[in-house]
Amino acid sequence: MLLTNFAGMRWWQISLLIAAAFLFTLFLTLFGSAASQYSDFKTAKQQNKETHIIGKWVDKQKAFYDPEKDQFFFYVQDTTGYKQLVRYDDPKPPNLELATKVVLIGKYEGDTFVASRILQKCPSKYKEQSTQPQ
Amino acid sequence: MMGIVGTIAIWTAFLSAIVACGMFLMKKRLGNVFFFLHGMAITAALAILYYLMLTHQYQYYYVWTHTSNELPLAYTLAALWEGQEGSFLLWLFWQTLLSLWLWFRYPKERYALLSVVLSVQVLLTSMLLGWEVNGRILIAILVVVSIFILLRFQSQPLKKDFFAAIAIIAGLLLPAFLWNGWLQPFHYAFLGISVLLLAWVSWRVYQQQWDIVQGFFIVLLWGCATILGYSETTLWKIGSSPFVLLKDAMPDAHIFQKNPDFVPVNGSGLNPLLQSYWMVIHPPTLFLGYALAVVPFAFVVVALWYRYSLGWLRKGLPWLSLAALVLGVGIILGGYWAYETLSFGGYWAWDPVENASLVPWLIEIAAIHAFLSAQRKKNYYPLFALLTLIAFILILYSTFLTRSGVLGDASVHSFTDLGLSGQLLLLLFAYALFSWLLLLSRWRWMAQKEIPWQWNDATTWLLIGVLILWFLSVEILFVTSFPAINKLLGTQWAPPTQNAKFYFQSTVWFTIALLAATVVAVALYWKKQFVKKLFYPFAAAVLTVAAIQLLWYGPEHWFVYEPQYYEQIQSGSWLQKLQGVLWLFSDDLLLLALWFAVYGNGWIAWHLIRQRKWQVSAGTIAHIGFALMLLGAFFSSGFEKTVSKNLHPQRLTHFKGEEKKDNVLLVKNFPVAIQGYKVTYIGMQKPKAPFKNFKVLYSVQGNAKVAFQDARGDYYYVWVPAHLLEEEEQLSENTRNVLKKQKTNVLETLKLFIELNKDQIPIRALNERRRFILLFQNLKDTTQFFYLLPEAEVNEQMGLIVHPDRKVFWDKDLYVHISSLPKDVQKDVLQDTLRLGVGDTLRHLPYTIYLKELVKVQHPDYKDYDWVIKAKLQVWYGAKVYDVAPLLLIKGNEAFQQEDEIPELHWKVAFMGVDTQHNQLVFILRRPNEGALYVVIKAIEKPFINLLWLGTFLLSAGLFLSLWRRFKR
């Protein structure tokens, strides 16, 4: 019964059907995911769940990488100005120096914020550097 | 001088393309002269740019920015397309070659086809003009030309049409009255009027009351008026020339204020990331794919314009297949490049630039399938025309995305913004508008009686595939264009942070349907009876998936479901529950669909080949390739395993939960066990004598940079005192002089000097990369071993740049890259300050230093001093212990140091004094830098990645077969 109904469909009806299916999935993937909210260190500490924190890398000389334990420690200042020691269980991301902004995804473990991922807002890698001729 | 010739060549190319295009439109034979002139001018411009680059003429900005003396020849050739101007030139050159081919192959349709191609050539060449012009003058020219064309060719319908007359008068008058910024307050009103105008023109064209040219120029006139009303700058830059002088490009540089005739000795070189042989082949292939897209576009435009039938259009189909093949190969080469040398283990990152070339490819594939449907049912003809036109417009759109700077920081590999976005937009809109009007005006002509769908008809399934490809493209394009949309609308839409996950989730169900459709469509296409037997490949697929489940995951995981989705279904909001249901088994179904596609298509291919119809098996082969490609991607990313787990005891006990432990420390000469292997870092690779092919690059301040090749063929360089090069006591002033003076005996001296001193002077790789030797032994059987040589470079501006190495097994790749290096790997001598108290140990990787005790020395040698203290230090290095005892001598208020050394390690240790604040003793340690004493690596196993490459090969082979058959016909 259902099949016979389908058989009489026009091409635009099928197109609409597929388009609707796409919109539905796109909606679910884009907006449905329980994306954690952007927040700051203080709120993250209270909530004790995975959060996104926007900030920038400060006190660069204090950052260090421990190759034996494979942990990178560095300080990040969030948008409220709060400075926090952050641990990242990987080596320093290759072009963290160039990043104008970082987004940390992670949660607190004691007094340290442990980032599981670091997103960098970088000027394009392939762009020319402002070198002077010599 | 050559630069001026180059500029003339570009202008000649531009003007001759305009004339040739116009004459071809009017079918005048004289156009051929200008057509060939254009081709010669483009070739000449390319040749001149190459000449300038190969002779290192750094007075030219493009040459200075993209090349340097250090670059080997192949990369100097590749440097041409690092920049926008060079890659436009390459694109133009490919299109020139293609148009020559068309000229010879289609003598009858020559003029019609080439006028379309030449119009693209005109707009592309305009990107290279480097012409600064007053915008009002330019618009005035456009307005005059538009009105001339409107009145000259289409005056009759205009007189009848009152509104058109008003629009033209508005177009004529507006520029005269408007001044910059005048329209700003009426922003939305103007936008609304523009949309209304477009709709109205479209309607007129659809009703065939106006023809396309008329509609096009009316919208163009309106566009000119609007642009003039908005533009803030009166001086417009039309194109960017590759023949600009350095001093004109950088008038503010200090050096030119001091010395206007200054020519740099060396260029700033090719970006280190791009110095790879893939750079030599990937961009030309991709641009050939771009260039080829114009040919099917031209065929469709001509077919619609002259109302040719589908039979005529069949000639254009092999070109569409060729375009898809070349573009596809270009994309795959890029992916392989990324996998093999560039990024951290990925071949596809869903980067906007990658997507921008993927989407036109998907549409081209969809168009090929639409054509197959149209061959059986004429009412798919419009769909085919639509898709082919869109494929070309998407090529232009992707050019706009990557070159206009609109992607900004959303992509890692877009070009630098040259301020051409307006021009690029014009290019895009011109062709989009023209195609739109063309389709509208021919829509009624193309329309056939609609036939209801039948499920046992191949075209139905072909169309389902086409629709899925189409919507996939729309979705990818939509998400990719977020940065552009944000700029246009001022919105703040963030692109997904986890690209791979996002694209997997949003496309997986449609991919499943697509794969199933390939089998059903192919079966129906060849023989209706096949469909009834499709149960067999399906059963085989089910069995394969079951076997994989059992053997791969073990009996404890019956399904590959992701636990997170399971949790979502149990405890989540209704939205999360829905998501959980949607993706819980999508992995399994995808796997099933993939195997079904492989078996189903394989089975039909086998039937066709057995019936000696192997020529027509192209489609099935391509489908198998597509499925295998996705299978490879499925296994290699889904079951990727990091084998270099960090097992440091403190990390295991100290931290809990699931966390990353992906990198492992390798101290030189100390084997470490990782999953399945024993790894030893042997050291950095040194150049192997004898050296050959010495070449003086340039000299600066009494030192000359000399490049040479070692016995392995790798390039190295060394700085030598320039007097070694002196022959007639004349120090060469700049590179060119030095290069001229390369006589054999000078090079002999050099060679001798370098080989004698090779342990004392720092010899570096010409591309600054260091290569690290890693020995991998099988953990169970250590006699089985292999070496991997990952490379890394510490670049001042870009940080650590790594180039992985891999071992290819039949069922997997072991993929290894350096993830961290000691900070001082670039220095020649290391000097460290050590602070420690008595009895302390200090971990100074890879050594441990222990301060045993302080002893007061009383010896006749030191009778002049008040105090003499000896610090007894021990240095532990693996199983070895070295003693070292520097002295601190004190006399009154002054302190003196007497160094001690560890000859085996070439260490020199000085006792500097006491830091009373921290109660620590201070030592200075100096040691030669023997290269990195340790490296941190990450090793990943990628199962069945070879399926991916096999799949891409079969996909290309299928496309090639189909186009070969059609070209021959």
Side-chain angles (χ1 to χ4, degrees), chain B residues 347 500 630-641 942-943 945:
Chain B
Y347 38 83
L630 293 188
L631 266 177
F634 184 88
F635 283 122
S636 65
S637 350
F639 298 96
E640 176 184 294
K641 189 169 74 176
K942 290 176 167 285
I945 186 124

Side-chain angles (χ1 to χ4, degrees), chain B residues 938-953:
Chain B
K938 181 171 181 176
I940 311 162
E941 271 184 357
K942 290 176 167 285
F944 296 112
I945 186 124
N946 286 333
L947 280 182
L948 180 74
W949 312 126
L950 177 69
T952 54
F953 174 75

Side-chain angles (χ1 to χ4, degrees), chain A residues 7 9-10 22 25 28-29 32-34 67-71 87 89-91 98 116-117 122 126, chain B residues 274 409 412 450 453 471 498 505 510 576 579 646 650-651 655 660 663 665 797 800 819-820 843 845 936:
Chain A
M9 277 173 99
R10 307 279 159 181
F22 260 97
T25 354
L28 277 187
T29 18
S33 61
E68 282 181 280
K69 290 184 209 155
D70 182 27
Q71 287 170 339
R87 198 188 88 211
D89 289 346
D90 244 340
L98 296 177
S116 58
R117 283 180 356 106
C122 273
Y126 285 63
Chain B
L274 301 178
D409 37 43
V412 289
E450 203 182 325
W453 287 41
F471 284 112
Q498 281 169 289
Q505 288 189 339
F510 302 98
Q576 285 171 325
Q579 286 179 322
N646 189 309
Q650 237 171 320
R651 248 188 101 157
F655 301 104
K660 284 189 288 186
N663 302 278
L665 170 73
Q797 278 148 347
L800 185 71
S819 40
S820 185
R843 188 86 174 110
L845 268 170
V936 179

